[in-house]
Amino acid sequence: MAGLLLSRTEKVYIVNGIEEDFRSDGRSNYDYRPIELETNVVSHASGSARLRLANTDILVGIKTEVDIPKPETPGLGKIEFFVDCSANATPEFEGRGGEQLANRISNILQRAYHASQAFNLKQLCIFEGKQCWKLYVDILILECGGNLCDAVSLAVKAALFTTRIPFVKAALMDGGDVDLQLSDDPFDSKPLVVGTAPLLVTLCKIGNKFVVDPSAEEEFCSIVSVVIGVSGNPAHYTTEKIENVESKFTTIGMSGVGGLVPDTLKSAISQGIVAAKCLDSALGRSLLRERQDICSYKKDSYGFLK
Amino acid sequence: MPGPDLLSSQGLRLDGRRPNELRRIRCKLGVFTQPDGSAYLEQGNTKVLAAVYGPHQAAKSKMSTEGVVVNCQYSMATFSTGERKNRPRGDRKSQEMSLHLRQALSSAIKTELYPRSQIDIYIEVLQADGAAFCASVNAATLALIDAGVPLRAYACACTSSVAWRGSQPEPLLDVGHVEEAAGGVCLTVAALPSTGSIALLEMSHRLHMDYFEVVISRAMQGCRDIEVILDKAVREHLAEGWTKQDIVTI
């Protein structure tokens, strides 16, 4: 990562530690760093979340707009991802410096969310073939401490969970125009169903082992990393009893200069799925708890003041 | 000229403030670990993050032997405004804001102490609800203090506008988005209140010369009020630092 300098001995220390399943911050190869999450931090957005994974800081805001569906998918809404690498994270992102990284992350998300069974775009339809909702998912990277993809996907899912779409009455008028009637009451809205939305897990190959949630120093030591998108289990995101849905892949991506043997890839993927399942259930639990706190007015908003 | 509706018959503004009241300011220094200095500031619903890197060696093209080069970038999150913005930075308005920031902050920083160096100041507006520039200047000052950059004085910025009570002008302090959008005059002042000097002044719309004096004095009063708040925040942060900070790192 940016402006990071590691000596050879430091690298050797990290690599040998991972070989022994003991990382420089005391974790094992399967452990995540502590995650802090707060939802509804931006009042101008329909849904928002701020996630801090050690010192990776992500803010996601979601805005909704009415749009015309694509002719090939008349019954589906639209979702668009925009990643902005703020120069606050590192001076290298000044001007257009962060664009490459931003495009890489938004493309992975786009692929993961557009897989069938990953995210139900039908719920964004207003009038088939004429009008639909378009979700703008704007991701702001405020600090990079490694493992951006995982943190971004968690924050996006949390923000989508809090997003509410207004109820709209649509009627077809003469001449094929659609008349939309929006209620004046801002609470006359429905929450999005996001249970199946995918989470991304980065597996970083360091030495001969894979680790999840690499810190910036560990990313520096790695030659190749695999990003997998795994769809979520809706049973974690509702208080009602519904049947479990098996997690599925939605995307796989690789980055870095090195290569992988197919067998190691297989073991990496199974390690990734385990991690994704744990993350998914933990995220669902904390989001439900947060929603309950908001409903009972127990929650104080902290934002960045904590 | 804005209509009389900016002030109610009781003399209260649209959001319930009196004409000489600021919005609530809450701030925190040292929000992030990676930058040399960072700060978060909320002024009403306007929320701003500032990060400072440096002083470090300047890029060859920018280097100056006279003093430090202050490099500012103002950027607004795409979800910060009511309507979604397409680009967070690079548009004309944010470029202008970057220049203004640089002007306001260069006058506060003791630039002569660091020749051939550069200080990067990055502003990220998370939520814009009027006077985003003022909040940026105030946040940047806090971030500079957090970074330990020597300053001549606090640089504080404040806006003021004018409303009419009968035929009497009544200057309004710290203009919110609704009041800004009503189309009245908006005077932005960045000042070093403890030295009493003005670092930057900008005005939109027209204002009669006779009323200029009251409007600017109201804005200067706002800057002095903000200085008190910032000073308190800095002192609290430092007092807290000795008890809460990880002593191992010292």
Side-chain angles (χ1 to χ4, degrees):
Chain A
M1 225 4 65
L4 187 69
L5 293 171
L6 277 190
S7 69
R8 254 193 72 183
T9 18
E10 280 171 298
K11 277 189 186 175
V12 168
Y13 181 74
I14 289 172
V15 173
N16 287 350
I18 282 165
E19 217 51 55
E20 306 278 322
D21 198 13
F22 193 76
R23 292 155 78 175
S24 46
D25 43 9
R27 293 180 286 160
S28 80
N29 291 352
Y30 296 88
D31 284 339
Y32 269 77
R33 291 169 288 176
I35 300 174
E36 283 172 41
L37 176 72
E38 186 177 1
T39 54
N40 287 323
V41 277
V42 183
S43 52
H44 283 173
S46 314
S48 60
R50 185 221 180 187
L51 184 125
R52 200 168 161 82
L53 171 82
N55 58 351
T56 301
D57 212 308
I58 312 282
L59 183 66
V60 177
I62 294 176
K63 286 214 173 252
T64 49
E65 255 177 43
V66 175
D67 202 12
I68 300 163
K70 282 185 203 153
E72 63 267 28
T73 54
L76 302 184
K78 292 180 180 174
I79 185 165
E80 198 180 282
F81 296 91
F82 177 80
V83 180
D84 177 20
C85 295
S86 164
N88 283 26
T90 149
E92 281 172 32
F93 291 158
E94 197 186 333
R96 313 180 66 125
E99 233 159 64
Q100 221 176 357
L101 179 68
N103 284 339
R104 199 172 72 86
I105 296 173
S106 58
N107 284 341
I108 296 176
L109 278 173
Q110 192 84 17
R111 274 211 310 273
Y113 271 78
H114 278 266
S116 61
Q117 301 179 332
F119 183 67
N120 180 11
L121 286 170
K122 276 195 193 118
Q123 58 185 318
L124 300 175
C125 178
I126 300 172
F127 196 95
E128 194 172 321
K130 298 282 184 194
Q131 304 270 266
C132 69
W133 288 107
K134 183 171 188 179
L135 295 181
Y136 285 101
V137 183
D138 294 313
I139 299 146
L140 190 61
I141 295 173
L142 295 168
E143 200 174 5
C144 304
N147 201 13
L148 280 177
C149 285
D150 299 24
V152 165
S153 75
L154 282 166
V156 167
K157 192 163 180 177
L160 284 171
F161 183 80
T162 57
T163 304
R164 296 185 75 90
I165 301 280
F167 283 118
V168 172
K169 281 192 197 120
L172 198 60
M173 307 293 278
D174 294 343
D177 296 338
V178 179
D179 183 49
L180 296 180
Q181 279 185 346
L182 201 70
S183 151
D184 290 332
D185 181 10
F187 294 101
D188 196 8
S189 54
K190 60 172 178 188
L192 282 176
V193 180
V194 292
T196 49
L199 291 178
L200 301 175
V201 172
T202 311
L203 293 144
C204 222
K205 190 170 188 247
I206 299 170
N208 294 318
K209 292 267 175 71
F210 280 97
V211 297
V212 296
D213 188 27
S215 64
E217 289 81 15
E218 285 165 343
E219 273 178 0
F220 197 78
C221 298
S222 137
I223 39 164
V224 63
S225 60
V226 184
V227 181
I228 59 171
V230 181
S231 70
N233 182 354
H236 295 313
Y237 292 86
T238 172
T239 44
E240 293 155 26
K241 279 262 175 280
I242 55 168
E243 59 181 303
N244 287 316
V245 175
E246 197 53 38
S247 304
K248 300 182 188 78
F249 280 108
T250 61
T251 181
I252 300 184
M254 272 176 68
S255 63
V257 287
L260 279 179
V261 184
D263 278 348
T264 40
L265 188 66
K266 234 185 247 169
S267 70
I269 288 170
S270 49
Q271 186 182 345
I273 289 186
V274 174
K277 277 183 181 163
C278 294
L279 274 182
D280 195 45
S281 72
L283 180 68
R285 244 180 296 134
S286 46
L287 285 174
L288 284 175
R289 197 175 54 220
E290 174 125 329
R291 179 177 277 179
Q292 210 173 9
D293 284 355
I294 291 173
C295 288
S296 51
Y297 303 105
K298 267 190 208 154
K299 195 199 151 220
D300 296 317
S301 177
Y302 290 110
F304 290 86
L305 290 166
K306 205 189 95 179
Chain B
M1 278 287 148
D5 4 311
L6 281 183
L7 274 181
S8 73
S9 53
Q10 282 81 32
L12 294 177
R13 290 154 73 177
L14 296 167
D15 48 5
R17 283 183 286 159
R18 290 190 186 82
N20 61 349
E21 278 178 346
L22 291 166
R23 290 175 286 178
R24 177 169 73 159
I25 296 181
R26 299 198 291 178
C27 47
K28 186 179 182 330
L29 281 83
V31 211
F32 296 130
T33 48
Q34 266 167 17
D36 296 307
S38 61
Y40 169 75
L41 186 128
E42 261 180 43
Q43 197 162 346
N45 273 329
T46 303
K47 297 176 181 177
V48 177
L49 273 173
V52 169
Y53 287 87
H56 55 82
Q57 192 176 13
K60 277 257 163 53
S61 55
K62 287 182 185 157
M63 194 183 284
S64 147
T65 48
E66 300 287 302
V68 68
V69 177
V70 180
N71 174 33
C72 292
Q73 183 182 272
Y74 177 91
S75 130
M76 287 174 95
T78 40
F79 48 77
S80 61
T81 47
E83 203 147 298
R84 185 179 179 270
K85 276 172 69 85
N86 277 326
R87 286 203 300 173
R89 58 186 150 266
D91 56 327
R92 238 178 249 196
K93 196 177 162 228
S94 23
Q95 274 171 349
E96 189 197 355
M97 289 298 178
S98 305
L99 285 177
H100 284 173
L101 267 175
R102 181 173 168 183
Q103 157 117 42
L105 296 169
S106 305
S107 60
I109 297 170
K110 291 193 169 177
T111 46
E112 68 281 0
L113 291 182
Y114 302 103
R116 299 189 183 84
S117 321
Q118 177 179 350
I119 297 176
D120 295 319
I121 301 167
Y122 301 117
I123 302 289
E124 191 72 50
V125 178
L126 303 179
Q127 212 167 293
D129 188 49
F133 174 75
C134 299
S136 312
V137 172
N138 301 334
T141 305
L142 290 181
L144 282 167
I145 291 170
D146 187 38
V149 176
L151 301 180
R152 287 193 178 81
Y154 284 88
C156 304
C158 193
T159 54
S160 69
S161 176
V162 68
W164 298 91
R165 199 186 235 178
S167 57
Q168 279 300 307
E170 178 69 57
L172 306 177
L173 189 65
D174 192 13
V175 189
H177 175 70
V178 187
E179 290 163 328
E180 226 170 58
V185 14
C186 184
L187 182 81
T188 308
V189 177
L192 312 179
S194 53
T195 63
S197 58
I198 292 175
L200 180 103
L201 191 133
E202 201 209 8
M203 194 175 77
S204 61
H205 297 83
R206 72 197 167 97
L207 176 71
H208 197 283
M209 204 48 216
D210 291 355
Y211 308 131
F212 183 71
E213 193 62 38
V214 281
V215 177
I216 195 170
S217 63
R218 179 59 52 97
M220 287 297 281
Q221 182 58 46
C223 291
R224 283 193 288 276
D225 293 348
I226 288 172
E227 190 194 25
V228 173
I229 296 171
L230 298 190
D231 189 57
K232 193 165 158 254
V234 171
R235 280 172 202 282
E236 269 172 22
H237 173 73
L238 292 175
E240 204 175 71
W242 284 109
T243 52
K244 282 193 185 167
Q245 227 169 39
D246 191 5
I247 299 177
V248 182
T249 57
I250 299 170

